[in-house]
Amino acid sequence: MALCWGIVSAGLISSDFTTVLRTLPRSEHQVVAVAARDLSRAKEFARKHDIPKAYGSYEELVKDPNVGVDDTVTVLLQYPGGVHASFTCSITAELTNTAFVSGTKGIAQILHPCWCPTELVVNGEHKEFPLPPAPGKEFNFTNGAGMTYEANHVRECLRKGLTESPVIPLAESELLADILEEVRKAIGVTFPQDKH
């Protein structure tokens, strides 16, 4: 039985994710609706990706029964047990888009682009993780085809009757969202919904 997807937002990442879903078997993944704050954008997105339904609000999509600034900022995080982390992001400077994790057992380097890497170096040992094939598909972001793994993992969890991922539990997703929200507010980035 196919997992029916509703796409929230008609942005570039959503476009790449929808393109990924189109590379997967229709018997397993079907995009049935898209929602955006602007109905015309949702309709254009639906036309581009051959999606049967388009909604002008996220609330409408949820009701669909078929769908389950500073320019450079450094953020310092402190976790229990004396663990520290930092990250730097910029809208004007070109950064490396790599990540390093170091601890008592060594160092791991996640190579560019760290948001969807295909290479990892652990204690000097280089490992490669090729992307799934997406012949003839174009993505807005580097390694967009990697979202295939997310789509398949969601389907696998639902087939097992799980309500959250054992890999990234809901609490971890919420923590990451809270951290990003606090950073956004601290550096003065606002969105239209903030004014309500």
Side-chain angles (χ1 to χ4, degrees):
M1 182 168 133
L3 176 60
C4 294
W5 289 88
I7 305 298
V8 177
S9 171
L12 298 177
I13 293 175
S14 296
S15 181
D16 282 358
F17 188 69
T18 303
T19 300
V20 160
L21 291 173
R22 292 286 187 215
T23 69
L24 300 172
R26 283 190 56 79
S27 60
E28 296 179 4
H29 299 273
Q30 294 180 14
V31 183
V32 298
V34 60
R37 287 188 292 258
D38 179 330
L39 181 58
S40 63
R41 286 194 69 211
K43 285 182 176 179
E44 175 60 25
F45 190 95
R47 185 199 58 72
K48 176 182 175 184
H49 292 285
D50 193 27
I51 300 171
K53 295 180 185 174
Y55 297 111
S57 74
Y58 303 138
E59 292 79 14
E60 289 178 275
L61 176 66
V62 173
K63 292 177 185 174
D64 187 320
N66 296 312
V67 179
V69 178
D70 282 338
D71 63 357
T72 302
V73 175
T74 297
V75 178
L76 303 173
L77 303 169
Q78 184 172 356
Y79 296 95
V83 175
H84 294 82
S86 68
F87 67 88
T88 301
C89 56
S90 177
I91 59 173
T92 58
E94 187 170 332
L95 302 176
T96 63
N97 288 312
T98 58
F100 296 87
V101 178
S102 60
T104 58
K105 295 183 179 180
I107 297 174
Q109 181 181 8
I110 304 166
L111 302 180
H112 174 85
C114 63
W115 66 83
C116 188
T118 58
E119 299 176 85
L120 177 68
V121 179
V122 178
N123 293 329
E125 184 182 340
H126 190 172
K127 299 180 182 195
E128 292 190 22
F129 305 91
L131 293 171
K137 303 296 182 187
E138 291 184 26
F139 297 98
N140 295 300
F141 295 98
T142 304
N143 296 350
M147 288 187 277
T148 300
Y149 300 119
E150 294 174 24
N152 282 330
H153 182 64
V154 169
R155 184 172 187 271
E156 178 186 318
C157 288
L158 292 173
R159 289 180 62 116
K160 291 178 178 177
L162 299 175
T163 57
E164 67 179 328
S165 166
V167 177
I168 303 289
L170 177 59
E172 187 166 341
S173 294
E174 289 173 335
L175 174 62
L176 292 172
D178 289 345
I179 290 170
L180 291 175
E181 186 72 3
E182 286 300 313
V183 170
R184 180 181 71 82
K185 288 178 182 175
I187 64 174
V189 176
T190 60
F191 296 128
Q193 60 267 31
D194 293 335
K195 296 174 182 156
H196 296 334

